[in-house]
Amino acid sequence: MRQEVSPRAVLAARRQFFQQGLHDRPLAALLPEPILRSWKRCAERGLDNAALPRLEPLTAHELSAIAERHERLRRLCRPEVESLYADAMQTGCVVILTDAEGMILDALGNADFAARAAQVALRPGVLWGESSTGTNAVGTALVEGRPIAVHGGEHYYDPHAILSCSAAPILDPYGHTVGALDMSGPAAVDHRHALGLVRLAVEQIEHRFFDEGFSDRRVLRLQADRALLGTSREGVLVFEDDRLVAANRAGLGLVGADWSALGEKRAGELLERLPGSDGDTHALRQPGGRTLFGRFEGARARPQPTPRPRAPREEGPLLGAEERAALGRAVRMVAADVPVLIRGETGTGKEMAAREIHRQSARAGGPFVAVNCAAIPETLIESELFGYEDGAFTGARRQGRRGLLREADGGILFLDEIGDMPLALQSRLLRVLQEREVAPLGGGRPVKIDVALLCATHRDLRLLVEAGSFRQDLYFRIAHYTVELPPLRRLPDRAGIVRALWGRLVADERLTLSEGCEARLAAYDWPGNFRQLAGTLKALAALADPFRPVGEDMLPPDILAAPAASPPVGTLDALTVEAMRQAVEACGGNVSQAARRLGVNRSTLYRRLFHA
């Protein structure tokens, strides 16, 4: 159990450690031992706690390559990441998956906090190992080899004090650390539940490692509580020719062994009595006399029915006929070198739609480079897009960087959340679109590029133009053709969408949804749209048992609390906002004129449309 440390104690510890140079006994009363050990390691490396660490994010291609290398880890972790994501949306957190070095592979969660976290480089493609990023939950958990929480000022670097992070290392069946799972939020909020959620999620991930790759070996599943067999709380021991070759932490703990037992211990040394090979549950006994319950699976056990794969699954976004026709027209726009703007709420599948346009276009053989303008700090986005020459600025790579615009040469550049692009950068982008050449930072020679542009936003760019935060000339340059993606709550056949998405995400036909569960899912408003629905379905699939339809009792509390019947589509609020949008369109995007026509205050109209 982690000892509670008051902010005052942490401040006192920082003063003694960083200002007075007291690194020993007095601090033990103010800080948890793992934090103090980490501070000492960081100090020995000569890290400057008052500075922002110099971090070089991976390029889009480098991140894509490392994500592909860890695709199995990401696939095995996906249900838990998506499940935690639902909690993260409500509590102002982000969920982070890293590799064994602390490189962030995936980050999902509350958009507002994610934007703030990006300012301290808490985003995919950045290394959060302790040696580069100081004391932090991911890096320190990987070094210490145990779950750990790091709150506010317990972080080594001063700028990281805005974070409260909880992380746990992920071990494979052979005891090797393969990654870490982290939940991070604002330090001002109490996240005492986070470490428990992360530990439970890692337990489930490590249990899932045994679902594949051990069919030719004897897999012993055991627990002291018979009711916990078949759950992620069970112990797992894998034997080959009676010798222990793989395990999870729970299994080793139940038989009083550690990772050194792999390849050394035989079944008879770990248990006095073993179950039969019939696949049934039997009472077992340890050498010390403790009773356990277990059953063998795999080689020499009763054959288990194998999952029946579904028919080949349709790829691409789930769209109606009208939206598919719009995407088809967008493909023709790309061929004609006309930029396309995709509008839709967060989670409606804007990037998926952009990838579908790329797949159908004549540029399908070229690169698709995606850039989230809201996720990259303003200080880095210019160098990310345009690249830089050797020595262009402090911390620049010695060999320079090509930049994402040049990476997309011959293909498509997708600028997501372009409404968040800084004004100064908008003018540079406009020049690139007009002149078809890019000049890297540091005075490099302009380079000709051949790039088709797709942009996306959840905002109304016309309102941003009216407010002065988006350039009008850039808006007219990128919005010749707009694809509108409707939110999930406005689609008529939500039950059909639930069934279609379940079929895409769940390959095993033995796993199904009950009618009541499906009806509840179809009735829910889905503020996170397709992304939230997909995460919920993946979590339900992870909890499902073969041939037992998923019941309503397995749904998250927020869905159970929602009305059982679908609310009417044409609510007064929705109709009001739609009328406002139509008025703005009729006035050519002039918000002031539309407000006068509607008889409302301009700021009211702006607020209702901007936050709708």
Side-chain angles (χ1 to χ4, degrees):
M1 186 77 176
R2 186 189 192 275
Q3 67 186 80
E4 291 298 322
V5 182
S6 70
R8 182 176 297 179
V10 174
L11 286 174
R14 293 190 73 85
R15 187 162 52 248
Q16 290 183 33
F17 190 93
F18 295 113
Q19 296 177 17
Q20 301 173 16
L22 301 177
H23 293 182
D24 45 16
R25 288 187 179 180
L27 291 175
L30 301 175
L31 286 175
E33 279 296 325
I35 301 295
L36 181 54
R37 286 196 296 268
S38 176
W39 281 11
K40 290 178 180 178
R41 288 192 294 266
C42 296
E44 289 169 358
R45 293 189 184 101
L47 301 184
D48 180 3
N49 70 290
L52 191 67
R54 291 183 178 180
L55 302 172
E56 290 189 6
L58 298 179
T59 65
H61 279 184
E62 289 170 338
L63 179 57
S64 177
I66 198 168
E68 184 176 346
R69 189 160 68 247
H70 292 292
E71 177 54 33
R72 181 170 183 265
L73 173 66
R74 297 173 70 219
R75 173 170 54 82
L76 289 170
C77 294
R78 200 158 290 141
E80 277 64 49
V81 170
E82 296 282 2
S83 180
L84 284 176
Y85 166 65
D87 185 78
M89 290 237 338
Q90 305 299 322
T91 57
C93 293
V94 292
V95 180
I96 290 166
L97 175 67
T98 79
D99 66 8
E101 305 301 320
M103 177 65 68
I104 299 179
L105 304 174
D106 293 311
L108 287 176
N110 182 278
D112 290 338
F113 178 69
R116 295 200 304 274
Q119 294 173 9
V120 290
L122 195 64
R123 60 190 177 88
V126 177
L127 182 65
W128 273 72
E130 190 183 77
S131 60
S132 59
T133 328
T135 304
N136 70 90
V138 167
T140 305
L142 290 171
V143 172
E144 294 275 330
R146 55 186 257 181
I148 194 166
V150 181
H151 298 314
E154 293 176 350
H155 288 83
Y156 188 83
Y157 280 104
D158 294 349
H160 295 164
I162 66 168
L163 304 173
S164 177
C165 309
S166 299
I170 303 169
L171 305 186
D172 70 8
Y174 307 102
H176 303 138
T177 301
V178 293
L181 188 65
D182 171 88
M183 198 168 184
S184 293
V189 179
D190 184 357
H191 297 290
R192 69 183 66 189
H193 67 294
L195 189 59
L197 290 174
V198 168
R199 293 179 70 164
L200 179 60
V202 167
E203 193 175 80
Q204 292 168 330
I205 291 167
E206 293 180 351
H207 184 261
R208 189 173 297 112
F209 272 103
F210 295 90
D211 290 348
E212 55 187 54
F214 295 101
S215 59
D216 59 338
R217 299 175 185 177
R218 300 185 77 196
V219 179
L220 176 61
R221 300 181 181 272
L222 69 165
Q223 242 295 342
D225 184 347
R226 187 172 188 148
L228 293 179
L229 278 176
T231 73
S232 62
R233 305 297 300 274
E234 70 182 358
V236 184
L237 304 176
V238 181
F239 296 94
E240 185 175 303
D241 296 330
D242 206 39
R243 189 178 299 277
L244 182 68
V245 294
N248 68 356
R249 286 184 267 198
L252 293 173
L254 286 167
V255 296
D258 57 26
W259 293 108
S260 65
L262 299 189
E264 299 294 330
K265 297 288 187 180
R266 294 189 174 274
E269 299 176 75
L270 302 171
L271 294 162
E272 287 183 356
R273 183 185 303 163
L274 295 173
S277 297
D278 54 6
D280 289 334
T281 300
H282 297 268
L284 317 176
R285 194 162 58 219
Q286 289 180 279
R290 184 188 182 192
T291 299
L292 302 173
F293 296 92
R295 66 172 181 269
F296 266 125
E297 295 178 359
R300 297 202 299 275
R302 186 193 318 181
Q304 300 292 316
T306 56
R308 292 176 296 167
R310 297 183 187 269
R313 291 175 283 175
E314 181 186 359
E315 299 297 334
L318 284 167
L319 300 173
E322 185 177 340
E323 288 75 38
R324 287 201 172 276
L327 285 196
R329 291 191 289 271
V331 171
R332 296 171 64 180
M333 294 293 171
V334 169
D337 197 26
V338 176
V340 173
L341 177 66
I342 304 172
R343 276 201 75 247
E345 294 180 4
T346 299
T348 50
K350 297 186 288 294
E351 181 171 347
M352 189 174 288
R355 290 184 182 276
E356 182 69 7
I357 294 171
H358 173 252
R359 187 184 69 82
Q360 293 184 26
S361 75
R363 292 177 176 263
F368 178 91
V369 177
V371 184
N372 189 323
C373 299
I376 302 177
E378 186 173 338
T379 55
L380 291 178
I381 190 170
E382 186 172 20
S383 61
E384 286 283 309
L385 274 177
F386 296 95
Y388 53 80
E389 295 292 299
D390 178 18
F393 52 86
T394 302
R397 287 186 174 185
R398 184 169 300 174
Q399 68 274 26
R401 175 174 283 178
R402 295 183 65 202
L404 295 173
L405 278 162
R406 290 177 64 187
E407 295 281 353
D409 190 35
I412 285 178
L413 177 70
F414 174 57
L415 296 179
D416 198 4
E417 301 302 352
I418 192 169
D420 293 287
M421 179 176 283
L423 269 171
L425 195 56
Q426 293 175 26
S427 61
R428 282 206 68 186
L429 177 63
L430 183 63
R431 286 198 301 274
V432 169
L433 297 178
Q434 292 170 341
E435 299 168 10
R436 294 308 177 115
E437 62 181 25
V438 57
L441 303 182
R445 295 176 57 187
V447 178
K448 290 289 184 183
I449 56 169
D450 172 24
V451 171
L453 183 66
L454 299 181
C455 300
T457 182
H458 72 284
R459 302 171 182 254
D460 191 326
L461 294 185
R462 294 168 299 186
L463 299 181
L464 296 182
V465 169
E466 182 81 9
S469 59
F470 198 86
R471 291 181 62 101
Q472 186 177 53
D473 47 4
L474 179 59
Y475 170 70
F476 288 130
R477 184 68 177 81
I478 66 173
H480 289 301
Y481 180 74
T482 301
V483 176
E484 294 280 350
L485 297 182
L488 184 50
R489 64 182 175 276
R490 292 186 187 169
L491 297 178
D493 185 19
R494 294 211 293 271
I497 290 171
V498 169
R499 287 192 293 272
L501 193 54
W502 178 267
R504 288 190 182 192
L505 298 173
V506 184
D508 187 351
E509 280 192 338
R510 302 176 303 166
L511 306 181
T512 57
L513 299 171
S514 69
E515 290 185 8
C517 181
E518 187 178 284
R520 287 277 191 166
L521 292 168
Y524 190 58
D525 268 354
W526 300 109
N529 292 297
F530 285 96
R531 183 182 299 158
Q532 185 187 7
L533 173 59
T536 300
L537 292 179
K538 289 176 182 179
L540 292 176
L543 297 171
D545 293 318
F547 308 112
R548 295 181 61 183
V550 175
E552 295 176 59
D553 60 311
M554 299 173 74
L555 290 169
D558 54 338
I559 296 178
L560 287 174
S566 180
V569 174
T571 61
L572 179 61
D573 186 67
L575 292 173
T576 300
V577 172
E578 186 58 33
M580 289 179 170
R581 290 190 185 280
Q582 291 177 3
V584 172
E585 288 181 4
C587 295
N590 189 313
V591 177
S592 300
Q593 183 180 341
R596 287 193 297 271
R597 178 177 296 187
L598 291 169
V600 299
N601 187 278
R602 176 185 174 280
S603 62
T604 300
L605 180 59
Y606 183 86
R607 186 183 70 253
R608 292 297 302 276
L609 288 177
F610 189 76
H611 295 289

